[in-house]
PDB file of all heavy atoms in Angstrom:
ATOM      1  N   ASP A 218     255.326  35.392-122.342  1.00  0.00           N
ATOM      2  CA  ASP A 218     255.397  34.517-123.518  1.00  0.00           C
ATOM      3  C   ASP A 218     256.087  35.202-124.687  1.00  0.00           C
ATOM      4  O   ASP A 218     256.833  34.574-125.450  1.00  0.00           O
ATOM      5  CB  ASP A 218     253.992  34.075-123.929  1.00  0.00           C
ATOM      6  CG  ASP A 218     253.361  33.119-122.907  1.00  0.00           C
ATOM      7  OD1 ASP A 218     254.110  32.558-122.095  1.00  0.00           O
ATOM      8  OD2 ASP A 218     252.111  32.964-122.938  1.00  0.00           O
ATOM      9  N   VAL A 219     255.849  36.495-124.835  1.00  0.00           N
ATOM     10  CA  VAL A 219     256.500  37.241-125.925  1.00  0.00           C
ATOM     11  C   VAL A 219     258.001  37.263-125.738  1.00  0.00           C
ATOM     12  O   VAL A 219     258.785  37.078-126.664  1.00  0.00           O
ATOM     13  CB  VAL A 219     255.928  38.672-126.006  1.00  0.00           C
ATOM     14  CG1 VAL A 219     256.759  39.522-126.960  1.00  0.00           C
ATOM     15  CG2 VAL A 219     254.474  38.644-126.434  1.00  0.00           C
ATOM     16  N   LYS A 220     258.452  37.456-124.459  1.00  0.00           N
ATOM     17  CA  LYS A 220     259.888  37.522-124.191  1.00  0.00           C
ATOM     18  C   LYS A 220     260.568  36.175-124.433  1.00  0.00           C
ATOM     19  O   LYS A 220     261.705  36.115-124.893  1.00  0.00           O
ATOM     20  CB  LYS A 220     260.110  37.975-122.754  1.00  0.00           C
ATOM     21  CG  LYS A 220     259.694  39.422-122.517  1.00  0.00           C
ATOM     22  CD  LYS A 220     259.890  39.815-121.063  1.00  0.00           C
ATOM     23  CE  LYS A 220     259.454  41.254-120.816  1.00  0.00           C
ATOM     24  NZ  LYS A 220     259.647  41.657-119.400  1.00  0.00           N
ATOM     25  N   THR A 221     259.890  35.060-124.101  1.00  0.00           N
ATOM     26  CA  THR A 221     260.496  33.738-124.258  1.00  0.00           C
ATOM     27  C   THR A 221     260.276  33.133-125.631  1.00  0.00           C
ATOM     28  O   THR A 221     260.784  32.052-125.934  1.00  0.00           O
ATOM     29  CB  THR A 221     259.928  32.782-123.201  1.00  0.00           C
ATOM     30  OG1 THR A 221     258.492  32.715-123.379  1.00  0.00           O
ATOM     31  CG2 THR A 221     260.233  33.271-121.791  1.00  0.00           C
ATOM     32  N   GLY A 222     259.477  33.767-126.466  1.00  0.00           N
ATOM     33  CA  GLY A 222     259.217  33.254-127.798  1.00  0.00           C
ATOM     34  C   GLY A 222     258.145  32.202-127.861  1.00  0.00           C
ATOM     35  O   GLY A 222     258.007  31.504-128.873  1.00  0.00           O
ATOM     36  N   THR A 223     257.374  32.044-126.796  1.00  0.00           N
ATOM     37  CA  THR A 223     256.287  31.066-126.794  1.00  0.00           C
ATOM     38  C   THR A 223     255.146  31.568-127.662  1.00  0.00           C
ATOM     39  O   THR A 223     254.801  32.753-127.594  1.00  0.00           O
ATOM     40  CB  THR A 223     255.784  30.843-125.354  1.00  0.00           C
ATOM     41  OG1 THR A 223     256.900  30.456-124.539  1.00  0.00           O
ATOM     42  CG2 THR A 223     254.712  29.753-125.329  1.00  0.00           C
ATOM     43  N   PRO A 224     254.536  30.655-128.501  1.00  0.00           N
ATOM     44  CA  PRO A 224     253.393  31.087-129.335  1.00  0.00           C
ATOM     45  C   PRO A 224     252.300  31.679-128.471  1.00  0.00           C
ATOM     46  O   PRO A 224     251.980  31.155-127.404  1.00  0.00           O
ATOM     47  CB  PRO A 224     252.941  29.800-130.007  1.00  0.00           C
ATOM     48  CG  PRO A 224     254.143  28.922-130.008  1.00  0.00           C
ATOM     49  CD  PRO A 224     254.891  29.243-128.742  1.00  0.00           C
ATOM     50  N   LEU A 225     251.754  32.782-128.947  1.00  0.00           N
ATOM     51  CA  LEU A 225     250.738  33.503-128.177  1.00  0.00           C
ATOM     52  C   LEU A 225     249.382  32.832-128.280  1.00  0.00           C
ATOM     53  O   LEU A 225     249.020  32.270-129.297  1.00  0.00           O
ATOM     54  CB  LEU A 225     250.631  34.944-128.670  1.00  0.00           C
ATOM     55  CG  LEU A 225     251.880  35.823-128.473  1.00  0.00           C
ATOM     56  CD1 LEU A 225     251.610  37.211-129.043  1.00  0.00           C
ATOM     57  CD2 LEU A 225     252.241  35.914-127.005  1.00  0.00           C
ATOM     58  N   ASN A 226     248.655  32.911-127.192  1.00  0.00           N
ATOM     59  CA  ASN A 226     247.257  32.504-127.186  1.00  0.00           C
ATOM     60  C   ASN A 226     246.519  33.590-126.447  1.00  0.00           C
ATOM     61  O   ASN A 226     246.437  33.611-125.230  1.00  0.00           O
ATOM     62  CB  ASN A 226     247.079  31.154-126.497  1.00  0.00           C
ATOM     63  CG  ASN A 226     245.634  30.658-126.574  1.00  0.00           C
ATOM     64  OD1 ASN A 226     244.756  31.377-127.022  1.00  0.00           O
ATOM     65  ND2 ASN A 226     245.427  29.422-126.115  1.00  0.00           N
ATOM     66  N   ALA A 227     246.046  34.549-127.202  1.00  0.00           N
ATOM     67  CA  ALA A 227     245.494  35.757-126.595  1.00  0.00           C
ATOM     68  C   ALA A 227     244.314  35.455-125.708  1.00  0.00           C
ATOM     69  O   ALA A 227     244.002  36.204-124.791  1.00  0.00           O
ATOM     70  CB  ALA A 227     245.078  36.734-127.696  1.00  0.00           C
ATOM     71  N   LEU A 228     243.657  34.336-125.949  1.00  0.00           N
ATOM     72  CA  LEU A 228     242.487  34.013-125.136  1.00  0.00           C
ATOM     73  C   LEU A 228     242.855  33.197-123.911  1.00  0.00           C
ATOM     74  O   LEU A 228     241.993  32.851-123.114  1.00  0.00           O
ATOM     75  CB  LEU A 228     241.472  33.251-125.985  1.00  0.00           C
ATOM     76  CG  LEU A 228     240.893  34.039-127.166  1.00  0.00           C
ATOM     77  CD1 LEU A 228     239.974  33.137-127.963  1.00  0.00           C
ATOM     78  CD2 LEU A 228     240.196  35.290-126.695  1.00  0.00           C
ATOM     79  N   GLY A 229     244.152  32.834-123.787  1.00  0.00           N
ATOM     80  CA  GLY A 229     244.574  32.060-122.618  1.00  0.00           C
ATOM     81  C   GLY A 229     244.419  30.589-122.833  1.00  0.00           C
ATOM     82  O   GLY A 229     243.752  30.141-123.740  1.00  0.00           O
ATOM     83  N   ASN A 230     245.050  29.770-121.960  1.00  0.00           N
ATOM     84  CA  ASN A 230     245.021  28.323-122.097  1.00  0.00           C
ATOM     85  C   ASN A 230     244.256  27.638-120.974  1.00  0.00           C
ATOM     86  O   ASN A 230     244.093  26.441-120.992  1.00  0.00           O
ATOM     87  CB  ASN A 230     246.448  27.765-122.128  1.00  0.00           C
ATOM     88  CG  ASN A 230     247.231  28.298-123.314  1.00  0.00           C
ATOM     89  OD1 ASN A 230     246.688  28.361-124.395  1.00  0.00           O
ATOM     90  ND2 ASN A 230     248.476  28.677-123.083  1.00  0.00           N
ATOM     91  N   SER A 231     243.896  28.356-119.990  1.00  0.00           N
ATOM     92  CA  SER A 231     243.241  27.709-118.837  1.00  0.00           C
ATOM     93  C   SER A 231     241.762  27.983-118.831  1.00  0.00           C
ATOM     94  O   SER A 231     241.302  28.988-119.321  1.00  0.00           O
ATOM     95  CB  SER A 231     243.856  28.221-117.514  1.00  0.00           C
ATOM     96  OG  SER A 231     243.605  29.605-117.382  1.00  0.00           O
ATOM     97  N   THR A 232     241.072  27.072-118.233  1.00  0.00           N
ATOM     98  CA  THR A 232     239.629  27.240-118.107  1.00  0.00           C
ATOM     99  C   THR A 232     239.286  28.385-117.203  1.00  0.00           C
ATOM    100  O   THR A 232     238.295  29.081-117.403  1.00  0.00           O
ATOM    101  CB  THR A 232     239.008  25.941-117.576  1.00  0.00           C
ATOM    102  OG1 THR A 232     239.414  24.869-118.411  1.00  0.00           O
ATOM    103  CG2 THR A 232     237.500  26.031-117.540  1.00  0.00           C
ATOM    104  N   SER A 233     240.156  28.589-116.182  1.00  0.00           N
ATOM    105  CA  SER A 233     239.889  29.686-115.245  1.00  0.00           C
ATOM    106  C   SER A 233     239.939  31.022-115.952  1.00  0.00           C
ATOM    107  O   SER A 233     239.158  31.926-115.651  1.00  0.00           O
ATOM    108  CB  SER A 233     240.917  29.653-114.099  1.00  0.00           C
ATOM    109  OG  SER A 233     242.236  29.810-114.641  1.00  0.00           O
ATOM    110  N   THR A 234     240.867  31.105-116.868  1.00  0.00           N
ATOM    111  CA  THR A 234     240.950  32.370-117.610  1.00  0.00           C
ATOM    112  C   THR A 234     239.701  32.591-118.422  1.00  0.00           C
ATOM    113  O   THR A 234     239.170  33.691-118.493  1.00  0.00           O
ATOM    114  CB  THR A 234     242.180  32.351-118.548  1.00  0.00           C
ATOM    115  OG1 THR A 234     243.342  32.087-117.794  1.00  0.00           O
ATOM    116  CG2 THR A 234     242.311  33.671-119.271  1.00  0.00           C
ATOM    117  N   ASN A 235     239.187  31.498-119.034  1.00  0.00           N
ATOM    118  CA  ASN A 235     237.961  31.618-119.821  1.00  0.00           C
ATOM    119  C   ASN A 235     236.801  32.045-118.944  1.00  0.00           C
ATOM    120  O   ASN A 235     235.992  32.877-119.333  1.00  0.00           O
ATOM    121  CB  ASN A 235     237.632  30.290-120.484  1.00  0.00           C
ATOM    122  CG  ASN A 235     238.706  29.900-121.494  1.00  0.00           C
ATOM    123  OD1 ASN A 235     239.435  30.757-121.971  1.00  0.00           O
ATOM    124  ND2 ASN A 235     238.803  28.594-121.776  1.00  0.00           N
ATOM    125  N   VAL A 236     236.764  31.426-117.765  1.00  0.00           N
ATOM    126  CA  VAL A 236     235.669  31.767-116.843  1.00  0.00           C
ATOM    127  C   VAL A 236     235.781  33.198-116.397  1.00  0.00           C
ATOM    128  O   VAL A 236     234.797  33.923-116.310  1.00  0.00           O
ATOM    129  CB  VAL A 236     235.675  30.800-115.631  1.00  0.00           C
ATOM    130  CG1 VAL A 236     234.625  31.219-114.630  1.00  0.00           C
ATOM    131  CG2 VAL A 236     235.449  29.378-116.109  1.00  0.00           C
ATOM    132  N   MET A 237     237.021  33.611-116.160  1.00  0.00           N
ATOM    133  CA  MET A 237     237.241  34.987-115.706  1.00  0.00           C
ATOM    134  C   MET A 237     236.785  35.971-116.766  1.00  0.00           C
ATOM    135  O   MET A 237     236.108  36.946-116.472  1.00  0.00           O
ATOM    136  CB  MET A 237     238.732  35.164-115.395  1.00  0.00           C
ATOM    137  CG  MET A 237     239.126  36.590-114.959  1.00  0.00           C
ATOM    138  SD  MET A 237     239.468  37.694-116.330  1.00  0.00           S
ATOM    139  CE  MET A 237     240.888  36.908-117.045  1.00  0.00           C
ATOM    140  N   LEU A 238     237.149  35.664-117.989  1.00  0.00           N
ATOM    141  CA  LEU A 238     236.770  36.590-119.058  1.00  0.00           C
ATOM    142  C   LEU A 238     235.269  36.639-119.232  1.00  0.00           C
ATOM    143  O   LEU A 238     234.687  37.692-119.432  1.00  0.00           O
ATOM    144  CB  LEU A 238     237.440  36.160-120.363  1.00  0.00           C
ATOM    145  CG  LEU A 238     238.961  36.404-120.439  1.00  0.00           C
ATOM    146  CD1 LEU A 238     239.513  35.819-121.725  1.00  0.00           C
ATOM    147  CD2 LEU A 238     239.291  37.888-120.326  1.00  0.00           C
ATOM    148  N   THR A 239     234.670  35.443-119.141  1.00  0.00           N
ATOM    149  CA  THR A 239     233.228  35.409-119.331  1.00  0.00           C
ATOM    150  C   THR A 239     232.519  36.168-118.231  1.00  0.00           C
ATOM    151  O   THR A 239     231.572  36.912-118.480  1.00  0.00           O
ATOM    152  CB  THR A 239     232.743  33.958-119.345  1.00  0.00           C
ATOM    153  OG1 THR A 239     233.441  33.256-120.375  1.00  0.00           O
ATOM    154  CG2 THR A 239     231.248  33.877-119.604  1.00  0.00           C
ATOM    155  N   ASN A 240     232.985  35.993-116.990  1.00  0.00           N
ATOM    156  CA  ASN A 240     232.315  36.641-115.872  1.00  0.00           C
ATOM    157  C   ASN A 240     232.575  38.130-115.841  1.00  0.00           C
ATOM    158  O   ASN A 240     231.791  38.875-115.254  1.00  0.00           O
ATOM    159  CB  ASN A 240     232.771  36.007-114.555  1.00  0.00           C
ATOM    160  CG  ASN A 240     232.297  34.565-114.448  1.00  0.00           C
ATOM    161  OD1 ASN A 240     231.331  34.194-115.085  1.00  0.00           O
ATOM    162  ND2 ASN A 240     233.005  33.772-113.638  1.00  0.00           N
ATOM    163  N   SER A 241     233.720  38.548-116.425  1.00  0.00           N
ATOM    164  CA  SER A 241     234.064  39.965-116.318  1.00  0.00           C
ATOM    165  C   SER A 241     233.531  40.800-117.476  1.00  0.00           C
ATOM    166  O   SER A 241     233.743  41.998-117.505  1.00  0.00           O
ATOM    167  CB  SER A 241     235.589  40.116-116.261  1.00  0.00           C
ATOM    168  OG  SER A 241     236.172  39.643-117.459  1.00  0.00           O
ATOM    169  N   LEU A 242     232.854  40.167-118.464  1.00  0.00           N
ATOM    170  CA  LEU A 242     232.311  40.948-119.576  1.00  0.00           C
ATOM    171  C   LEU A 242     231.159  41.809-119.103  1.00  0.00           C
ATOM    172  O   LEU A 242     230.323  41.362-118.342  1.00  0.00           O
ATOM    173  CB  LEU A 242     231.810  40.003-120.672  1.00  0.00           C
ATOM    174  CG  LEU A 242     232.901  39.298-121.488  1.00  0.00           C
ATOM    175  CD1 LEU A 242     232.247  38.291-122.429  1.00  0.00           C
ATOM    176  CD2 LEU A 242     233.747  40.301-122.269  1.00  0.00           C
ATOM    177  N   PRO A 243     231.098  43.017-119.535  1.00  0.00           N
ATOM    178  CA  PRO A 243     229.953  43.872-119.165  1.00  0.00           C
ATOM    179  C   PRO A 243     228.661  43.292-119.716  1.00  0.00           C
ATOM    180  O   PRO A 243     228.642  42.524-120.677  1.00  0.00           O
ATOM    181  CB  PRO A 243     230.293  45.209-119.824  1.00  0.00           C
ATOM    182  CG  PRO A 243     231.765  45.170-120.102  1.00  0.00           C
ATOM    183  CD  PRO A 243     232.088  43.725-120.319  1.00  0.00           C
ATOM    184  N   SER A 244     227.565  43.696-119.157  1.00  0.00           N
ATOM    185  CA  SER A 244     226.263  43.175-119.550  1.00  0.00           C
ATOM    186  C   SER A 244     225.864  43.605-120.950  1.00  0.00           C
ATOM    187  O   SER A 244     224.954  43.045-121.556  1.00  0.00           O
ATOM    188  CB  SER A 244     225.185  43.632-118.554  1.00  0.00           C
ATOM    189  OG  SER A 244     225.142  45.053-118.545  1.00  0.00           O
ATOM    190  N   MET A 245     226.533  44.636-121.515  1.00  0.00           N
ATOM    191  CA  MET A 245     226.219  45.075-122.869  1.00  0.00           C
ATOM    192  C   MET A 245     226.581  44.019-123.904  1.00  0.00           C
ATOM    193  O   MET A 245     226.115  44.045-125.018  1.00  0.00           O
ATOM    194  CB  MET A 245     226.954  46.378-123.204  1.00  0.00           C
ATOM    195  CG  MET A 245     228.472  46.260-123.057  1.00  0.00           C
ATOM    196  SD  MET A 245     229.313  47.782-123.416  1.00  0.00           S
ATOM    197  CE  MET A 245     229.311  47.730-125.172  1.00  0.00           C
ATOM    198  N   PHE A 246     227.446  43.027-123.539  1.00  0.00           N
ATOM    199  CA  PHE A 246     227.813  41.937-124.433  1.00  0.00           C
ATOM    200  C   PHE A 246     227.058  40.660-124.087  1.00  0.00           C
ATOM    201  O   PHE A 246     227.488  39.569-124.412  1.00  0.00           O
ATOM    202  CB  PHE A 246     229.316  41.659-124.357  1.00  0.00           C
ATOM    203  CG  PHE A 246     230.140  42.842-124.784  1.00  0.00           C
ATOM    204  CD1 PHE A 246     230.906  43.538-123.848  1.00  0.00           C
ATOM    205  CD2 PHE A 246     230.139  43.252-126.095  1.00  0.00           C
ATOM    206  CE1 PHE A 246     231.657  44.613-124.240  1.00  0.00           C
ATOM    207  CE2 PHE A 246     230.909  44.337-126.488  1.00  0.00           C
ATOM    208  CZ  PHE A 246     231.672  45.033-125.552  1.00  0.00           C
ATOM    209  N   ALA A 247     225.934  40.767-123.401  1.00  0.00           N
ATOM    210  CA  ALA A 247     225.169  39.592-122.990  1.00  0.00           C
ATOM    211  C   ALA A 247     224.598  38.888-124.213  1.00  0.00           C
ATOM    212  O   ALA A 247     224.525  39.449-125.303  1.00  0.00           O
ATOM    213  CB  ALA A 247     224.038  40.013-122.046  1.00  0.00           C
ATOM    214  N   ALA A 248     224.197  37.616-123.990  1.00  0.00           N
ATOM    215  CA  ALA A 248     223.664  36.804-125.079  1.00  0.00           C
ATOM    216  C   ALA A 248     222.435  37.456-125.678  1.00  0.00           C
ATOM    217  O   ALA A 248     221.601  37.991-124.968  1.00  0.00           O
ATOM    218  CB  ALA A 248     223.328  35.401-124.570  1.00  0.00           C
ATOM    219  N   GLY A 249     222.314  37.357-127.023  1.00  0.00           N
ATOM    220  CA  GLY A 249     221.147  37.912-127.719  1.00  0.00           C
ATOM    221  C   GLY A 249     221.415  39.249-128.341  1.00  0.00           C
ATOM    222  O   GLY A 249     220.656  39.689-129.197  1.00  0.00           O
ATOM    223  N   SER A 250     222.492  39.955-127.893  1.00  0.00           N
ATOM    224  CA  SER A 250     222.760  41.269-128.451  1.00  0.00           C
ATOM    225  C   SER A 250     223.748  41.208-129.595  1.00  0.00           C
ATOM    226  O   SER A 250     224.033  42.218-130.218  1.00  0.00           O
ATOM    227  CB  SER A 250     223.303  42.209-127.376  1.00  0.00           C
ATOM    228  OG  SER A 250     224.545  41.711-126.904  1.00  0.00           O
TER     229      SER A 250
END
């Protein structure tokens, strides 16, 4: 996206990416902390 000049979306545009990020977070960032 940087090479083509497309506006960046650091968090991604797909739901799969969101799910991936959520599932890949270490447990130290779990809810409540």
Side-chain angles (χ1 to χ4, degrees):
D218 291 342
V219 170
K220 292 178 181 180
T221 59
T223 304
L225 296 179
N226 184 353
L228 296 177
N230 298 317
S231 64
T232 306
S233 60
T234 304
N235 296 338
V236 175
M237 178 274 296
L238 288 175
T239 303
N240 293 337
S241 63
L242 287 174
S244 60
M245 57 181 280
F246 298 111
S250 63

